[in-house]
Amino acid sequence: MGTIWVVLIAIVALIAGVALGFFIARKYMMNYLKKNPPINEQMLRTLMMQMGQKPSQKKINQMMRAMNNQQK
């Protein structure tokens, strides 16, 4: 009878740990994305200029649309 309680407590502790870990990781990622937003048009323009390309607004819009579609 004692072994059953030990196993039951271990399983409950494991489930609680996984749930708690999930919510802590979710909160951390939300705060991280709030402080460090994903790439925006200005970052994309700078990146293209560093690669030696002259970015046009049409090209920037096209790349932003492609990245937004990829995230969904």
Side-chain angles (χ1 to χ4, degrees):
M1 189 70 163
T3 307
I4 294 173
W5 284 107
V6 170
V7 172
L8 187 62
I9 291 172
I11 291 172
V12 169
L14 179 67
I15 292 171
V18 168
L20 188 62
F22 170 77
F23 287 111
I24 290 172
R26 183 174 177 264
K27 177 86 171 154
Y28 173 78
M29 283 306 296
M30 287 181 152
N31 285 339
Y32 178 80
L33 288 174
K34 190 180 295 184
K35 291 178 185 175
N36 302 309
I39 195 163
N40 59 19
E41 289 185 19
Q42 185 60 39
M43 290 178 183
L44 194 58
R45 183 173 284 115
T46 303
L47 182 65
M48 289 178 71
M49 290 174 79
Q50 287 176 349
M51 291 190 311
Q53 299 179 9
K54 184 165 170 63
S56 66
Q57 190 62 38
K58 181 180 177 184
K59 184 73 171 174
I60 297 282
N61 292 342
Q62 183 182 20
M63 291 180 75
M64 287 297 294
R65 209 174 315 114
M67 288 175 22
N68 287 337
N69 288 340
Q70 187 179 16
Q71 288 178 351
K72 293 179 182 179

